[in-house]
Amino acid sequence: MRMHLRGTVLPGDEVQDLWVHDGVISFEPVRGAETLCDSGWIVPGLVDAHCHVGIRYGGGHEDREGAVAQAEIEREAGALLLRDAGSPIDTRFIDDRPELPEIIRAGRHIARPKRYIRELGIELDDERDLPDIVAEQARFGDGWVKIVGDWIDRSVGDLAPLWSDAILTEAIEAAHREGARVTAHVFGEDALPGLINAGIDCLEHGTGLTGDTIAIMAEHGTALVPTLVNIDTFPDIADSATKFPVYAAHMRDLHRRVRDTVADAHAAGVPIYTGTDAGGSIRHGRIADEIEALAGAGLSRHEALAASSWRAREWLHRPGVEAGAPADFVVYRTDPRESREALDRPAYVVLRGQVYPGRDPVTGHR
Ligand SMILES: [Zn+2]
């Protein structure tokens, strides 16, 4: 399919003509190209950097058909690059489906017995196995490994770290030797210094960040994916944790201050990216909600969109709207940095040079 588009290509402010042929972008005219649009905003494909294709909404494993449906919903919302932060099923068959977003996998969650959602992760009885398992998952994933950094310890009645600092250092070195980056699920405060000082590349959620840990994150260049749409479920988690009042109060407090936490991290220079945590307790297709949430947590609307588009793509080593790059972008009729409504209504989603309609704002999946 050959096509021509004219619009403001973000992050620039210039109106440009671009062409698509053989699935790639060109800034030189392509003969026989039909014009898809002659005005609008052209945004590098959105990134859901914390997403679980393969975990069913409500819990459990998704089958292939269900995983495809989740990936399609992400595409309709404009999320064309997904960093899968742990999936219980093998979604590699999706790589052969050009109509579905690209998935960058982190292998399976690595946890300890009774210290994560049951049946999702690999559970290590002995923490000394962590470096080997991390290396194994690094080879299985697409350049990322996901470990569970903290979880409720029912014997303590509160969030607590899963690993010693020493084993984290060894494990993260093992992943780096395999050429993979490491990220960790972390809600509370106590696991943070060990993870960051061990050289972890990214933190998921990070609700327990405080001035001190934000400072060491900024110093190390550790990224943060706050998953704000998921953090908004913390009060529900607290309500259902009646047997653990300390934990419940802790979760409520983390939730209460999360927007200030993200704003402080952003102000300190911590790189922040969008992730919805879709799968399990969050429905797929909510990338616009996460962009909106970041825009309410200390980032400008421009920065929040950057965190979901060109900056996130760069972080994941994927190109933006560039000559010769795969034609993966979203077209909006109005400036998506100006209003929520624009983000909710992509006019076209272009993935590998194919045009898909954006989500129908009336019947759209939510
Ligand atoms: Zn998650």
Side-chain angles (χ1 to χ4, degrees), residues 12-342:
D13 272 322
E14 232 183 299
V15 174
Q16 288 180 284
D17 287 282
L18 69 85
W19 286 264
V20 172
H21 67 93
D22 304 312
V24 301
I25 294 165
S26 169
F27 288 96
E28 301 294 328
V30 168
R31 259 200 303 176
E34 264 179 57
T35 297
L36 181 69
C37 64
D38 54 18
S39 69
W41 278 259
I42 300 169
V43 179
L46 304 183
V47 178
D48 190 337
H50 184 136
C51 179
H52 303 277
V53 171
I55 301 180
R56 182 167 292 174
Y57 180 67
H61 298 197
E62 203 43 280
D63 55 19
R64 278 188 172 215
E65 219 173 288
V68 166
Q70 292 179 335
E72 282 172 346
I73 291 167
E74 294 295 348
R75 184 194 67 210
E76 286 172 19
L80 304 183
L81 181 60
L82 313 176
R83 190 181 57 138
D84 195 317
S87 180
I89 67 162
D90 185 352
T91 57
R92 253 168 228 290
F93 72 96
I94 286 179
D95 296 353
D96 301 324
R97 303 274 301 257
E99 79 281 17
L100 300 176
E102 181 184 357
I103 301 182
I104 296 175
R105 294 172 189 78
R108 295 187 61 189
H109 299 80
I110 305 171
R112 306 207 61 193
K114 298 195 164 84
R115 298 298 303 280
Y116 194 55
I117 300 165
R118 277 175 53 190
E119 291 173 15
L120 276 189
I122 297 168
E123 298 179 353
L124 306 189
D125 288 321
D126 187 338
E127 78 156 12
R128 286 171 297 182
D129 293 335
L130 185 64
D132 284 348
I133 297 297
V134 160
E136 187 182 290
Q137 290 302 305
R139 293 190 287 269
F140 179 71
D142 300 316
W144 282 90
V145 178
K146 168 85 178 282
I147 60 183
V148 177
D150 71 356
W151 194 253
I152 185 172
D153 181 336
R154 289 172 175 81
S155 67
V156 176
D158 199 359
L159 293 166
L162 267 68
W163 318 97
S164 68
D165 293 357
I167 206 71
L168 285 171
T169 303
E170 260 186 67
I172 291 165
E173 277 171 8
H176 289 170
R177 274 197 300 275
E178 296 290 336
R181 291 187 272 182
V182 184
T183 193
H185 162 107
V186 57
F187 283 165
E189 294 83 354
D190 296 349
L192 286 163
L195 290 164
I196 304 165
N197 286 321
I200 200 155
D201 302 280
C202 181
L203 297 173
E204 310 299 311
H205 322 300
T207 37
L209 284 165
T210 55
D212 289 351
T213 41
I214 285 171
I216 47 173
M217 255 188 117
E219 195 183 304
H220 282 78
T222 320
L224 175 66
V225 178
T227 69
L228 289 172
V229 299
N230 183 27
I231 305 310
D232 286 340
T233 67
F234 277 20
D236 293 340
I237 296 174
D239 286 349
S240 62
T242 45
K243 275 192 266 173
F244 303 102
V246 173
Y247 168 76
H250 196 175
M251 294 295 277
R252 284 196 184 92
D253 180 55
L254 293 170
H255 171 255
R256 198 175 303 124
R257 56 189 167 94
V258 68
R259 279 160 174 82
D260 291 334
T261 305
V262 171
D264 290 348
H266 177 61
V270 171
I272 292 172
Y273 303 106
T274 49
T276 64
D277 213 353
S281 58
I282 302 293
R283 288 189 188 278
H284 282 270
R286 294 193 55 191
I287 195 65
D289 290 334
E290 186 65 20
I291 296 169
E292 191 64 18
L294 285 182
L299 280 74
S300 68
R301 299 196 66 92
H302 179 91
E303 288 167 337
L305 186 62
S308 189
S309 175
W310 54 93
R311 281 195 42 241
R313 298 182 67 88
E314 203 180 291
W315 175 57
L316 295 172
H317 310 312
R318 295 299 184 281
V321 176
E322 295 162 25
D328 293 353
F329 52 80
V330 189
V331 183
Y332 299 93
R333 287 188 214 287
T334 54
D335 191 337
R337 296 166 300 182
E338 297 287 317
S339 77
R340 169 61 205 259
E341 289 67 42

